[in-house]
Amino acid sequence: MSRAPRPLPPSFYQRPTEDVARDLLGRDLWRRLPGGEIAGGRIVEAEAYFGPDDPASHAYRRTLRSEIMYGPAGIAYIYFTYGMHYCLNVVCEPEGTAGAVLIRALEPRRGLAAMAARRGAAAIDGRGRPRSEAICSGPGKLTQALAIDHCLNGAPLQGPEIWLATGEEPVPDVLMDVTPRIGIRRGRDRLARFIVRDNPCLSR
DNA sequence: GTGACGATAATCT
DNA sequence: GATTATCGTCACA
């Protein structure tokens, strides 16, 4: 007996950010692309960002941009950075407490050709086949592959444009690893990056 | 295989 | 005016 895949409910996200980040490994992220096709895959890398005590977090200071991290859980926080890239976060914690998880990498499972086409030459091999380890192996890559931009900032994560689901392939505890976060200057000491060890689709 | 570097614009001081 | 939760390309080994 198979259950229809159902989106993770807001209560999933209304917990300590670190718990959500760890629990997101192995879950599926799906996106209805502008053409209507469903694309996405399995989360293999995620980072937790906290509140006023975390200098790496946008919520270190409460500003117009970071206000969304203080809001209700279960919605998307998408920001633009380096003049070029979007990054996808999921807002966590009860309303009033800041926290979000940055989705950093997916193992592509569906819509590979469409995602690879959006990513360009770097995601296609010599024979024109999608390179699965190059499609969603980074926070900027996966938003490009899935057509995620500022228009989805604040969108609910229960669909229909974007949603997360239980996942068909859970991650065994022995394959989960924790490391410092990537690409930050302050807050490097904190172990808040969660990965599926040795997965070929991790970011660099 | 590694490391340096430029692109490019929103956000904040 | 400085900074940035990134990526692809280019040297060089």
Side-chain angles (χ1 to χ4, degrees):
Chain A
M1 150 176 117
S2 71
R3 292 172 302 168
R6 283 215 312 243
L8 297 170
S11 58
F12 176 90
Y13 304 97
Q14 196 172 330
R15 293 185 289 153
T17 304
E18 186 174 330
D19 295 352
V20 177
R22 185 184 297 102
D23 203 357
L24 279 174
L25 294 184
R27 309 285 181 173
D28 289 335
L29 169 65
W30 301 120
R31 162 78 167 135
R32 188 179 68 81
L33 293 174
E37 182 177 0
I38 305 301
R42 176 174 176 255
I43 297 173
V44 295
E45 177 176 349
E47 285 178 350
Y49 286 87
F50 305 96
D53 65 329
D54 179 11
S57 174
H58 290 166
Y60 185 59
R61 293 192 174 84
R62 191 163 182 166
T63 66
L64 197 58
R65 179 176 68 167
S66 68
E67 187 63 25
I68 190 168
M69 287 182 66
Y70 287 83
I75 64 176
Y77 165 40
I78 295 154
Y79 65 87
F80 185 64
T81 193
Y82 291 105
M84 230 173 297
H85 302 289
Y86 294 95
C87 291
L88 169 68
N89 299 257
V90 302
V91 176
C92 303
E93 306 275 356
E95 187 166 1
T97 302
V101 175
L102 172 67
I103 310 299
R104 287 192 58 92
L106 306 179
E107 185 183 285
R109 288 291 172 99
R110 185 170 168 187
L112 287 258
M115 290 194 287
R118 295 191 54 82
R119 286 274 296 117
I124 298 172
D125 71 13
R127 304 183 199 188
R129 312 285 296 185
R131 297 180 56 228
S132 64
E133 75 285 0
I135 296 175
C136 294
S137 51
K141 296 179 186 179
L142 76 88
T143 56
Q144 183 183 29
L146 291 174
I148 292 168
D149 64 20
H150 64 95
C151 296
L152 286 173
N153 189 37
L157 292 169
Q158 286 76 44
E161 298 300 328
I162 183 171
W163 67 99
L164 283 77
T166 303
E168 297 176 355
E169 191 177 335
V171 180
D173 284 349
V174 294
L175 283 185
M176 287 191 193
D177 256 340
V178 191
T179 79
R181 291 168 292 185
I182 301 284
I184 55 169
R185 292 189 57 93
R186 288 156 307 188
R188 283 184 184 157
D189 50 316
R190 204 157 182 169
L191 296 177
R193 172 175 175 256
F194 300 87
I195 61 173
V196 179
R197 189 185 310 137
D198 296 332
N199 189 284
C201 300
L202 295 177
S203 70
R204 315 201 283 183

